Amino acid sequence: MKKIKFIINELSRLYPNPVCALFYGAPHELMIAARLSAQCTDKRVNLVTPALFARFTSVNDFAEAEVSEVESFVRSCGLYKTKASDIVNMCRILRDDFGGIIPDSIDELLKLPGIGRKTANLLIGTLYGKPAVVTDTHVIRLSNRLGLVKSENPVKVENALRKLVPEREQMNFCHRLVFFGRDTCKAQKPACGNCVLKNICTLS
């Protein structure tokens, strides 16, 4: 498909070395940061996690933590009570059922509290290099604007992009869409005049 090849090439030129926008050191830290990012900006999460990860340095530390103390660190991320509870409980299950190792399959990851398909894909793609499509709000918005999909449903968008984007490109493609959505194709005020994809965009 010429369109998807063009999009991949242009985004690769703009963002040659895409990386996950969330800061983390250990695999479980990425899992926790991803949980905190729900309905919260990555920028905010990255302000919160350094102190959180300094206080709780391992899966076991989080598993043994008081939920109320975790709440005190993540309060500014929104929905902090639910997120704090999920973090403690997911780490308990991770420790007790998975030996403290992040599972490398979506089905296993979905057994953890607070982990949905978006986060599961992020984890297997980032940590294990497996084909993965992370359908965050930027990916969904841009996929529709570029005419790749006609759905706001994350699972439908994920399945559509899996068919369109080569497996080796999927994770980087999603990272690049996120950066492009933040820099250029914003939700409210897209910078169409500066857009390298404007000739194939439904907004044009």
Side-chain angles (χ1 to χ4, degrees), residues 143-178:
S143 295
N144 277 275
R145 286 181 175 177
L146 294 171
L148 300 177
V149 301
K150 291 183 179 179
S151 177
E152 299 294 327
N153 181 284
V155 177
K156 290 183 178 179
V157 174
E158 176 188 334
N159 290 335
L161 291 181
R162 283 188 184 278
K163 294 177 182 178
L164 289 171
V165 182
E167 288 187 348
R168 67 182 182 279
E169 298 282 356
Q170 288 174 1
M171 195 67 197
N172 284 339
F173 181 74
C174 292
H175 283 324
R176 287 171 174 135
L177 281 182
V178 170

Side-chain angles (χ1 to χ4, degrees), residues 106-163:
I106 287 179
D107 289 342
E108 292 295 306
L109 284 164
L110 292 177
K111 296 177 181 178
L112 300 175
I115 300 296
R117 291 193 65 85
K118 181 181 78 171
T119 299
N121 272 287
L122 176 68
L123 292 172
I124 66 166
T126 303
L127 299 177
Y128 296 107
K130 291 189 173 185
V133 175
V134 183
T135 51
D136 84 332
T137 55
H138 296 288
V139 172
I140 293 172
R141 182 178 74 254
L142 269 67
S143 295
N144 277 275
R145 286 181 175 177
L146 294 171
L148 300 177
V149 301
K150 291 183 179 179
S151 177
E152 299 294 327
N153 181 284
V155 177
K156 290 183 178 179
V157 174
E158 176 188 334
N159 290 335
L161 291 181
R162 283 188 184 278
K163 294 177 182 178

Side-chain angles (χ1 to χ4, degrees), residues 27-156:
H28 74 275
E29 293 180 352
L30 176 59
M31 177 184 71
I32 290 167
R35 178 65 188 99
L36 291 174
S37 70
Q39 295 180 283
C40 181
T41 65
D42 291 346
K43 183 178 180 180
R44 166 55 54 184
V45 173
N46 288 337
L47 291 174
V48 166
T49 50
L52 178 67
F53 295 153
R55 171 65 181 87
F56 306 102
T57 61
S58 67
V59 171
N60 189 63
D61 284 349
F62 277 105
E64 296 294 329
E66 293 291 337
V67 172
S68 59
E69 186 177 3
V70 177
E71 287 177 4
S72 69
F73 284 91
V74 305
R75 186 178 299 269
S76 66
C77 289
L79 302 173
Y80 69 95
K81 288 183 177 292
T82 299
K83 291 178 180 180
S85 177
D86 284 345
I87 288 168
V88 172
N89 288 322
M90 69 170 61
C91 285
R92 286 176 180 167
I93 294 173
L94 195 64
R95 178 194 63 186
D96 297 341
D97 296 351
F98 297 99
I101 305 299
I102 303 289
D104 64 353
S105 78
I106 287 179
D107 289 342
E108 292 295 306
L109 284 164
L110 292 177
K111 296 177 181 178
L112 300 175
I115 300 296
R117 291 193 65 85
K118 181 181 78 171
T119 299
N121 272 287
L122 176 68
L123 292 172
I124 66 166
T126 303
L127 299 177
Y128 296 107
K130 291 189 173 185
V133 175
V134 183
T135 51
D136 84 332
T137 55
H138 296 288
V139 172
I140 293 172
R141 182 178 74 254
L142 269 67
S143 295
N144 277 275
R145 286 181 175 177
L146 294 171
L148 300 177
V149 301
K150 291 183 179 179
S151 177
E152 299 294 327
N153 181 284
V155 177
K156 290 183 178 179

Side-chain angles (χ1 to χ4, degrees), residues 145-146 185 190-193 195-204:
R145 286 181 175 177
L146 294 171
C185 195
C192 298
C195 180
V196 298
L197 303 176
K198 60 185 177 182
N199 291 335
I200 60 169
C201 180
T202 62
L203 295 181
S204 300

